[in-house]
Amino acid sequence: MTDFIDLRSDTVTRPTPAMRKAMAEAEVGDDVFGDDPTVNSLQEFAADLLGKEAGLFVPTGSMGNQVCLGALARPGDEVVCEAGAHFLHYEGGSVAAHLGLVARPLPGDGAIITAHQVAGVIRPGTEHNPRTAVVAMENTHNSAGGRVFPIDEARAVAKVAHDQGVAVHIDGARIFNAQAATGLPAREWADCADTLTFCFSKGLGAPIGSMVVGSAEILKESHRIRKRLGGGMRQVGVIAAAAQVALETGVDRLAEDHANARRLAEGLAELDPQAVDLDLVETNMVYLNLVPFNRTGPEVSAALKVDGVLTLGPPGTTMRLVTHRDVSAENITSAGAALSRALLG
Ligand code: TLP
């Protein structure tokens, strides 16, 4: 797979030599006993960066969402979210299966839910209704093409929720892409939220790991849920060491991925103006509309693979292309040419 230009996801990056070195040299301890110094220092570093009291290292973004939502809500409560939220569609129904929560999906405008919408659905809970316990936002929003959740709207949503005693969670798997796209520090969004989770294993380029940040009190409960889900890890400093390198070196280069995504999108728009909505390409994702080319995802994906480009080829007529550290500007030129052959050939 290393010979391919891999546009399936930004999760596919290989650890850098600096990450491998840090992993090999990491000081470790048993993190279930709280004595892994590499994990402890990463948690403190991340909490500080995002302006929160505490951090909790978790293996995946999916577990990050669960330990946050589980700490903020009780079984039978409702979590308000956008209809395309990642945890609703791509995390195996975990919010229902593991936490016993009811999701209240709202149709977002380009996947952005508004304070006005949220205000209209919050309910205190009666013998009939579930109690709205959490409002969740996703930033950047994966299924909306990696769009940034506008900070003013995030603040307004948080205010409406907090005014009614409802907690706020942000699935910030790619929060640093939002930072890179806007120049606003990620902590501005974190300020809106009671809990936020972000991933080291996406654009930041680490092999494994996500972080949850929030107050010490909430994270104490998240910690308990992490153990319950089987996420209590032992000498996990070997992984945290790579995550630390990712956080220190991965953020500043995200702008390159965004520039590559834009150039790829512009090339596709030249093939057909309907191919891509350029306004939606804000970060490192391009959603390609295959309808003008009269092709399906699996067909295009198969043709691209023969030409050295890996993509996810889901059934249907939309294909996601994701840029990341292991895709160079030169690779983008080659991928653009391969796409042109696959779509028009
Ligand atoms: N997204 C992955 C997979 O769903 C395919 C991807 O390739 O984009 N929140 C958001 C917004 C995400 O995009 C993802 C992963 C997660 C949570 C879950 O993270 P993991 O995969 O670490 O559980």
Side-chain angles (χ1 to χ4, degrees):
M1 290 296 178
T2 43
D3 292 339
F4 285 93
I5 299 169
D6 195 341
L7 302 178
R8 288 175 300 173
S9 180
D10 48 8
T11 58
V12 299
T13 54
R14 305 292 200 287
T16 60
M19 288 176 192
R20 289 189 185 272
K21 182 167 187 295
M23 292 170 86
E25 293 173 0
E27 245 189 276
V28 296
D30 191 326
D31 184 50
V32 171
F33 296 137
D35 58 16
D36 187 305
T38 308
V39 172
N40 290 341
S41 95
L42 177 67
Q43 289 177 164
E44 279 165 34
F45 186 82
D48 198 43
L49 188 64
L50 289 155
K52 295 290 187 206
E53 243 173 19
L56 183 69
F57 191 50
V58 289
T60 62
S62 303
M63 192 180 287
N65 280 329
Q66 290 179 70
V67 302
C68 292
L69 295 172
L72 298 172
R74 295 190 301 266
D77 283 348
E78 170 175 88
V79 51
V80 172
C81 61
E82 201 279 325
H86 193 276
F87 67 76
L88 200 53
H89 297 281
Y90 307 111
E91 296 177 19
S94 56
V95 164
H98 297 158
L99 306 175
L101 300 181
V102 180
R104 185 95 182 267
L106 304 178
D109 179 6
I112 306 304
I113 50 171
T114 64
H116 180 72
Q117 279 179 297
V118 171
V121 299
I122 287 178
R123 43 190 175 176
T126 63
E127 67 272 36
H128 301 291
N129 309 134
R131 176 184 77 108
T132 309
V134 191
V135 175
M137 295 180 259
E138 189 172 310
N139 189 24
T140 61
H141 198 298
N142 186 343
S143 66
R147 289 196 67 200
V148 174
F149 202 108
I151 189 65
D152 290 344
E153 201 60 53
R155 289 186 183 127
V157 166
K159 180 161 182 3
V160 161
H162 286 147
D163 283 353
Q164 299 199 55
V166 171
V168 174
H169 169 63
I170 294 183
D171 176 348
R174 296 183 178 84
I175 193 75
F176 291 104
N177 291 86
Q179 172 173 311
T182 59
L184 272 177
R187 67 191 297 156
E188 295 287 328
W189 284 279
D191 275 354
C192 302
D194 299 278
T195 53
L196 179 145
T197 178
F198 72 88
C199 298
F200 299 106
S201 56
K202 304 210 163 49
L204 300 184
I208 310 171
S210 293
M211 182 64 70
V212 164
V213 294
S215 69
E217 192 189 346
I218 296 170
L219 260 63
K220 197 165 173 229
E221 182 59 15
S222 297
H223 200 155
R224 221 165 66 86
I225 300 169
R226 185 184 72 173
K227 190 76 174 83
R228 183 188 298 154
L229 293 173
M233 300 175 284
R234 301 292 178 172
Q235 287 71 29
V236 70
V238 287
I239 289 170
Q244 181 78 41
V245 174
L247 196 49
E248 285 170 7
T249 61
V251 177
D252 286 345
R253 54 154 310 287
L254 290 174
E256 270 174 55
D257 299 345
H258 297 183
N260 282 338
R262 174 130 297 260
R263 195 158 63 81
L264 186 64
E266 284 169 354
L268 291 165
E270 275 173 28
L271 301 181
D272 189 295
Q274 305 296 312
V276 181
D277 185 342
L278 288 174
D279 288 343
L280 298 185
V281 183
E282 297 180 9
T283 58
N284 67 331
M285 293 183 187
V286 177
Y287 274 71
L288 167 63
N289 173 18
L290 300 172
V291 172
F293 307 102
N294 202 19
R295 297 276 200 284
T296 65
E299 281 166 7
V300 175
S301 209
L304 285 170
K305 191 166 180 186
V306 172
D307 225 352
V309 178
L310 290 182
T311 52
L312 293 174
T317 51
T318 304
M319 176 177 269
R320 186 186 76 158
L321 308 166
V322 188
T323 58
H324 51 79
R325 194 191 57 222
D326 292 353
V327 175
S328 65
E330 201 184 4
N331 289 156
I332 291 295
T333 306
S334 309
L339 275 154
S340 166
R341 287 188 287 274
L343 295 169
L344 304 178

